[in-house]
Amino acid sequence: MFASLSDRITGSFKQLRGKGRLSEADVDGTIREIRRALLEADVALPVVRQFTASVREKSVSALSSQALNPAQQVIKIVNDELVEVLGGDTRELNFASHPPTVIMLAGLQGAGKTTLAGKLGLWLREQDNKVLLVASDLQRPNAVNQLQIVGERAGVDVWAPEPGNGVGDPVQVARSGVEHGRQNHYNVVIVDTAGRLGVDEEMMEQARNIRDAVNPNETLFVLDAMIGQDAVQTSIAFRDGVGFTGVVLSKLDGDARGGAALSVRGVTGVPVLFASTGEKLEDFERFHADRMASRILDMGDVLTLIEQAQKAYDEKEAEDLAEKMAEGTFTLNDFLAQLQQVRKMGSMKKMLGMMPGMGQFRDQLENFDEREIDRVEAIIRSMTPQERRDPKILNGSRRLRIAKGSGSTVQEVNSLMDRFEKAKTMMQHMSKTGGGAPGMGSLPGMGKRAKARQPAASKKRKSANKKGRSGNPAKRAQQEREAAEKRANQPKGSAFGVSNQGDDTPDLNELAKFLR
């Protein structure tokens, strides 16, 4: 969603890099580009004006500072202002002192409230909360049935005493749902309410009645991040008509321009608490303003990536895997288990996009085929247990059988095995050397690059030796006799490169092999 905005803002910084000193004209040019990028992203005009004015004021005052490179100062100021516009510090949910905590969802029809109720329920259940979903959307066709299906997938209970489709009183359902949650010791009750295609007084009145009936601890406004400038009018109407304590952005995985995320906090003053980033129930995360700002500025989001990895990976399995890598006993079964762990983290494309500086590889990321992991998994599963443990037994006939069984070609099987062997060798090497790559030293100054810096001194020594030998045959013979006498007076030894057979002349060939 923020791809275009990210490209425009990061592109505006390119003219600043490499300049030792910035002028006000440089700053004005950068801010002009940022203003255009924000307007094109459908950010509300008042937010754009406030943002650019604040960036300009701080940037001009920072020009005289020598603490950082001027370009770095401007980038830091833009980052800090983005964090402020997006909501500043992350706020936690307000839980009731005496359960259940009541969370009411409100928003326009089509914003994704019902699916989001399941996502929020799953997120809270994973934090050891007993969650109940209440089906108070009785107007939309099959809304109750949809919530029941979503609740079952999320592993949470659903309170649905009315069939919906225009039948039943939504206020009474909400009230009875909260009472049911209190009697049955639920920690959290999430009330799903009806939406409309537009903001109208009937909808507002129903939402207010439900709010007054359940007295929620949190009223979350579910905002479709793809609606652009209309997000401002919609959020203001809900704030004034019903009131809400937090915002949830849905459909952040879309390809719209994303101005709603940058506008709603600046216009309403209410923080964004959660973000829905995909169609699956697991595609739901806390909204961190600083991390979102880092994504927009192409600085990555490593903290979220680490959190997802910690959630997906088992610590004991990770330790066992590291030990196998170090010992060189890493098999295709372990590789398959690794693939399955990675898939638990979500889309590979999404994970790679969280790495810093990946904006320059956006085209390659867009063309990345997620099904490649399925093909690799199919090839490995077509092998016998013995073949997975010992890939060296894979001859031509076995590879042909595996290719047919996995719907691939022998060339693809060969390619996978080549990559696996190289990866296995690299992991074993890195485990032994503490992180150095094959062919390179594990410490600075080691490896091929360090050796490449040495020939100058070596040539000097060679030329000095060559220069020391006389061109006169008689004089050269005298030099050789003196050298022989000098060697004869030296003690015998068995150091490296010195023979123990009575000849102490260093074996330069062996020494060269050792150094190589």
Side-chain angles (χ1 to χ4, degrees):
M1 172 165 286
F2 294 109
S4 176
L5 177 62
S6 176
D7 290 344
R8 289 292 302 272
I9 292 182
T10 53
S12 67
F13 296 144
K14 288 182 180 178
Q15 61 179 342
L16 300 181
R17 294 188 175 97
K19 291 190 176 183
R21 189 180 184 87
L22 296 184
S23 64
E24 289 193 28
D26 294 325
V27 173
D28 288 341
T30 302
I31 292 176
R32 195 179 306 116
E33 289 298 318
I34 293 175
R35 182 187 296 112
R36 289 174 181 169
L38 294 173
L39 291 174
E40 287 182 3
D42 270 343
V43 179
L45 186 58
V47 177
V48 175
R49 286 174 176 165
Q50 180 183 352
F51 179 87
T52 53
S54 180
V55 169
R56 188 184 190 287
E57 179 184 354
K58 293 179 180 179
S59 297
V60 171
S61 63
L63 290 180
S64 58
S65 172
Q66 302 298 322
L68 287 173
N69 176 283
Q72 293 174 341
Q73 286 181 318
V74 175
I75 293 172
K76 182 181 183 303
I77 290 169
V78 172
N79 179 72
D80 292 344
E81 288 302 311
L82 270 178
V83 172
E84 183 61 30
V85 167
L86 288 168
D89 295 334
T90 304
R91 179 175 78 77
E92 300 294 330
L93 283 173
N94 291 320
F95 286 92
S97 55
H98 301 288
T101 298
V102 181
I103 300 176
M104 173 180 165
L105 303 182
L108 294 179
Q109 191 179 85
K113 291 189 304 301
T114 302
T115 303
L116 196 134
K119 291 183 176 184
L120 181 58
L122 174 62
W123 186 82
L124 289 165
R125 182 177 68 80
E126 289 177 344
Q127 298 187 20
D128 300 325
N129 289 296
K130 187 179 179 183
V131 183
L132 177 68
L133 305 184
V134 178
S136 289
D137 183 357
L138 306 180
Q139 276 77 22
R140 183 168 60 86
N142 294 320
V144 174
N145 186 40
Q146 181 189 354
L147 188 66
Q148 289 172 329
I149 294 172
V150 168
E152 183 179 354
R153 287 170 51 202
V156 298
D157 298 328
V158 178
W159 175 256
E162 299 289 350
N165 298 323
V167 177
D169 181 4
V171 178
Q172 179 56 34
V173 169
R175 185 184 290 111
S176 63
V178 173
E179 185 59 32
H180 176 77
R182 183 176 293 107
Q183 292 177 359
N184 291 274
H185 309 292
Y186 284 90
N187 297 91
V188 181
V189 175
I190 301 174
V191 181
D192 180 31
T193 64
R196 291 290 186 277
L197 294 177
V199 178
D200 55 43
E201 185 53 36
E202 181 186 354
M203 172 191 157
M204 292 297 182
E205 182 65 27
Q206 184 184 107
R208 280 194 294 267
N209 292 337
I210 293 176
R211 178 200 64 192
D212 296 338
V214 302
N215 191 23
N217 302 96
E218 291 277 10
T219 301
L220 301 183
F221 175 49
V222 182
L223 178 65
D224 185 346
M226 300 177 68
I227 64 175
Q229 286 284 344
D230 194 42
V232 177
Q233 286 75 24
T234 304
S235 58
I236 290 176
F238 267 91
R239 182 196 63 186
D240 298 339
V242 181
F244 52 85
T245 58
V247 178
V248 181
L249 291 174
S250 64
K251 305 179 186 178
L252 267 183
D253 56 321
D255 57 0
R257 289 173 287 186
L262 295 171
S263 301
V264 64
R265 167 58 163 74
V267 170
T268 65
V270 179
V272 180
L273 300 183
F274 296 97
S276 175
T277 58
E279 296 180 359
K280 297 180 180 178
L281 292 181
E282 296 81 10
D283 297 332
F284 182 76
E285 60 189 45
R286 289 298 310 274
F287 186 89
H288 298 277
D290 53 344
R291 302 183 191 182
M292 186 59 68
S294 292
R295 292 188 199 182
I296 293 174
L297 296 180
D298 196 25
M299 296 177 185
D301 188 359
V302 179
L303 286 177
T304 300
L305 193 60
I306 291 172
E307 288 176 358
Q308 292 181 355
Q310 288 175 336
K311 190 185 299 183
Y313 275 75
D314 181 84
E315 188 174 345
K316 181 66 169 62
E317 289 181 7
E319 290 177 358
D320 293 341
L321 187 64
E323 189 175 339
K324 288 181 178 179
M325 289 179 182
E327 295 174 351
T329 58
F330 186 74
T331 67
L332 283 166
N333 280 322
D334 300 315
F335 182 57
L336 184 61
Q338 277 291 95
L339 281 180
Q340 292 169 341
Q341 293 279 11
V342 169
R343 299 190 77 165
K344 287 181 184 177
M345 293 176 62
S347 165
M348 283 290 293
K349 190 183 298 186
K350 179 181 172 183
M351 285 189 290
L352 290 171
M354 291 183 186
M355 300 299 291
M358 291 303 289
Q360 57 187 319
F361 304 111
R362 187 166 288 119
D363 291 339
Q364 292 92 320
L365 280 178
E366 290 300 321
N367 295 325
F368 178 79
D369 189 0
E370 300 274 357
R371 294 173 296 177
E372 182 64 28
I373 300 178
D374 295 329
R375 298 187 188 101
V376 171
E377 189 172 337
I379 291 174
I380 297 176
R381 291 191 182 279
S382 295
M383 299 178 185
T384 65
Q386 184 183 5
E387 289 168 345
R388 294 183 202 174
R389 288 192 299 269
D390 185 14
K392 293 179 181 179
I393 67 174
L394 292 177
N395 55 23
S397 61
R398 288 176 182 264
R399 295 185 184 224
L400 179 61
R401 189 204 77 238
I402 293 168
K404 289 181 178 179
S406 59
S408 58
T409 64
V410 175
Q411 288 80 4
E412 288 175 326
V413 176
N414 293 340
S415 175
L416 173 61
M417 297 315 303
D418 289 342
R419 284 181 289 168
F420 173 74
E421 289 299 330
K422 289 178 181 177
K424 182 178 176 181
T425 303
M426 182 185 71
M427 289 185 290
Q428 186 177 2
H429 180 88
M430 292 177 69
S431 298
K432 290 181 178 179
T433 61
M440 299 289 290
S442 59
L443 294 173
M446 298 289 286
K448 293 181 180 177
R449 288 186 181 273
K451 193 164 63 177
R453 292 193 291 266
Q454 296 172 2
S458 176
K459 285 179 182 176
K460 243 182 213 182
R461 286 194 299 270
K462 283 184 181 177
S463 61
N465 292 337
K466 190 173 181 181
K467 195 172 182 181
R469 296 176 63 187
S470 174
N472 188 312
K475 194 170 182 180
R476 185 187 302 170
Q478 176 65 26
Q479 288 175 339
E480 290 175 353
R481 283 195 299 271
E482 291 175 356
E485 290 174 4
K486 188 175 181 181
R487 287 197 301 271
N489 293 329
Q490 287 179 345
K492 307 289 183 186
S494 59
F496 180 83
V498 180
S499 172
N500 289 323
Q501 308 301 321
D503 178 12
D504 359 10
T505 304
D507 188 341
L508 297 181
N509 289 329
E510 289 300 318
L511 183 60
K513 287 180 184 177
F514 174 76
L515 290 175
R516 282 200 296 270

